[in-house]
Structure formats: C-alpha cells, structure tokens
Amino acid sequence: MKLMHEQINFPGKSVVKVKVQEKQGFTYPWHFHSEYEIVYVLEGTGTRFVADSIEEFTSGDFVLMASNLPHFWKSDVPNEKRNSKKLVKYIVLQFLNDFFREAITDYPEFNMIKELLNRSGRGICFTKEFADKAHKKVMKVVRSDGFDRLTYMLQLLQFMAKSKEYRLLAGRFYQVGKHNFTSDRLTKVMHYLNANYLGKVELKDVAAVANMHPSAFCRYFKENSGKSLSEFISEIRIGYACRLLLEGKMTVSQICFESGFNNLSNFNRAFKKNTGYTPTSYFEEFQRK
C-alpha cells in the first residue's frame, strides 16, 4: 500500500483543527502529515496501524501521534451493519508541529507537555479509562473556537502529560536516531549500532567503541538499555523489516537478508517474538480491506 502525504489546511491559520466524523468507516489510507494528531474513537471497531504497530481498536480508543508518523485506522464492517451509514464516530484534533515551540523548549511550565510530545514519536495509546476521564476536556476543545480552543487544547495536553495510563505503540527503536542518551559513551554506542545494524555486528567491536572489556560492556549495556546487545540489534532489525514489509516491494526472504539476518528461520522467530505476527501475516493484516 502506498504511503501518502496528507496536506492539512488550517482555516484562518488557526493553531488547532477539529474534525468530528460519523461515517460508515474510516476512509483515509496509510498516510502521514506534519501535524500532531489525536484520534479519539467514540463508536466503532477495527484495526489501528501506527508505524510498525498493528492492533485492534474499539470504542474509547485514544491515541496521540507526532508529526510525520505513518498511520491509518481501518473499520470493521459487520454483516448485519453493511447497509448502515453510521458505523464509526470519532474526533480528530490536529495541531501544528511548531505549536508553542519556543515556550515548550524554553519554559519549565511546559516541561510535561514537551515530554508528552517527545513520546508521541512512537504513538501513544491511552487507556479507555483515561479516555472516559478526558472526554469532557476533549469536548471543550471541540465546542470552542479562537483563544478558548487554544486554552482548552493546552489543558487537554497537560492532562494527558500527567497521566500514566498509556503505552507506546511503535517499536522501541522505530525512531532510534531521535533517542537522547545522557551518557556520551552510550550515545557513541547507539550511533555505531544505528549505522551498522544491517551488517555483522561483533561484540568486541561494539565494546571497543565504548572503550570497555566485552564482559564489562555486556553488563553495562544491559543495565542502561534493559536489553542484551543481541536483543537490541534484533529489535532494530525487526523494526526495519516491518517498514520493508509495509512497502510491499520485496519478498519475505529478501527482507530477511536485507534487514541483517542470515537465516530465515531465525528471522521468522525474531519477527514473531517482537511483533506477535509472522512476516506474512503481518503484511496480510496490513493489506486486508
């Protein structure tokens, strides 16, 4: 399926755009755009695709996505409702990617929103319980305009930023190049891995980048990343393989070797472990209409 770029127009150069939709189903294809976006499903079921994440959604689905993160929602169409004109109802809130950019960067009052927007680079799915609590705040944004809409939008983002009722959708290393690491040593290692993960990666070479003995490096890396070196590299490779699969230009066997694996059975095993799908079922689920 071709990835489309959506050009979003903001009437009157407003900061926030609101859409309330009640349709037979989601219609926009696999796409991305430069704006941040909140999708709140009031009624409906189907499958949600965000970057390399594929999950079922139901009423109460509440997701925040960063600028340029590929996504689309695909509605179920039960047999008994195929003649219905209203199968899904949802709210979309979109705001510009330079939304309060200087304030968010410079002022401590915006720190929590800044962290929220950084996390949204992988897509953030909030719980249904959170969505229920946020509903009134969302509706204030929907029903207002002008300065009031902007104020309510900030209040909603702060409410989201304070919540712990969420999980990230895209794979941990989907945006590995954008990760910030506090340790110079770990930063050098991450840059090395990000540049070399498609080839053969030797422990001794990575340890040398960190200027550590291999055994000491293994302990250090596990403590700081939460993964063994092999697990870390495997996840990066699988994230890349997911993108190749969604492009639909290569066979599974080709993608296996293109993404750094040298054994198809190992690739299939690692893919299932990281995504919950086989490579073929992952592609078929994405393509199914």
Side-chain angles (χ1 to χ4, degrees):
M1 184 179 295
K2 184 177 179 181
L3 177 61
M4 296 180 59
H5 176 254
E6 180 186 5
Q7 184 66 42
I8 298 174
N9 296 316
F10 282 72
K13 296 185 177 180
S14 298
V15 177
V16 181
K17 182 176 181 179
V18 173
K19 292 187 287 187
V20 180
Q21 304 284 358
E22 193 166 357
K23 297 182 175 182
Q24 191 171 17
F26 285 93
T27 56
Y28 215 87
W30 178 240
H31 68 288
F32 68 96
H33 42 72
S34 60
E35 295 74 19
Y36 287 88
E37 181 171 273
I38 295 171
V39 177
Y40 176 25
V41 179
L42 301 175
E43 299 176 16
T45 61
T47 306
R48 173 186 1 94
F49 300 79
V50 176
D52 57 0
S53 167
I54 301 178
E55 294 182 349
E56 302 301 309
F57 74 81
T58 59
S59 301
D61 198 53
F62 194 104
V63 174
L64 168 65
M65 294 166 290
S67 171
N68 297 322
L69 190 64
H71 59 277
F72 86 103
W73 271 243
K74 183 180 68 177
S75 301
D76 289 335
V77 185
N79 290 331
E80 66 273 14
K81 292 186 177 181
R82 287 188 184 275
N83 294 324
S84 172
K85 294 182 179 180
K86 299 177 181 179
L87 292 179
V88 62
K89 183 177 181 180
Y90 59 97
I91 294 171
V92 176
L93 306 179
Q94 296 167 326
F95 53 98
L96 300 173
N97 60 359
D98 59 355
F99 183 74
F100 278 81
R101 178 182 294 165
E102 293 185 5
I104 287 174
T105 300
D106 297 336
Y107 300 138
E109 290 83 357
F110 286 88
N111 280 349
M112 295 187 74
I113 292 178
K114 177 182 177 180
E115 292 175 4
L116 173 74
L117 298 182
N118 286 339
R119 289 196 303 271
S120 71
R122 288 171 57 190
I124 305 174
C125 181
F126 292 85
T127 65
K128 186 180 185 305
E129 290 73 21
F130 172 84
D132 291 341
K133 290 182 283 189
H135 182 83
K136 288 184 178 179
K137 296 183 182 296
V138 173
M139 296 313 297
K140 284 184 178 180
V141 178
V142 170
R143 292 167 179 162
S144 60
D145 55 23
F147 184 78
D148 287 340
R149 173 172 286 179
L150 177 60
T151 301
Y152 289 135
M153 188 71 209
L154 285 171
Q155 291 176 1
L156 173 62
L157 289 174
Q158 182 71 357
F159 185 66
M160 294 165 66
K162 289 181 178 181
S163 175
K164 302 297 183 183
E165 300 175 75
Y166 71 88
R167 55 191 172 77
L168 303 182
L169 294 175
R172 182 178 177 185
F173 308 112
Y174 188 83
Q175 292 183 306
V176 67
K178 295 187 177 181
H179 285 205
N180 294 316
F181 300 98
T182 56
S183 164
D184 288 339
R185 172 181 284 168
L186 191 57
T187 298
K188 290 177 181 178
V189 168
M190 295 303 179
H191 286 168
Y192 177 84
L193 294 176
N194 194 36
N196 295 280
Y197 69 89
L198 295 179
K200 187 175 182 180
V201 180
E202 298 280 0
L203 171 60
K204 60 181 178 61
D205 296 330
V206 185
V209 172
N211 195 27
M212 299 177 70
H213 186 276
S215 60
F217 172 77
C218 286
R219 293 191 296 271
Y220 167 81
F221 190 83
K222 183 70 177 286
E223 289 172 359
N224 284 275
S225 72
K227 301 279 183 179
S228 69
L229 180 63
S230 61
E231 290 172 333
F232 188 98
I233 294 169
S234 180
E235 289 194 11
I236 300 176
R237 288 173 173 169
I238 294 301
Y240 180 64
C242 286
R243 279 173 267 180
L244 293 180
L245 278 166
L246 297 185
E247 288 176 4
K249 297 178 181 179
M250 303 172 69
T251 66
V252 170
S253 180
Q254 289 172 325
I255 290 172
C256 164
F257 297 104
E258 181 69 20
S259 56
F261 291 87
N262 55 17
N263 182 290
L264 188 57
S265 62
N266 288 341
F267 171 67
N268 288 332
R269 190 180 307 112
F271 197 97
K272 183 69 178 290
K273 178 182 178 181
N274 282 277
T275 68
Y277 291 85
T278 66
T280 300
S281 62
Y282 182 91
F283 177 75
E284 289 175 346
E285 181 66 26
F286 181 81
Q287 291 294 323
R288 187 179 301 127
K289 292 293 185 180

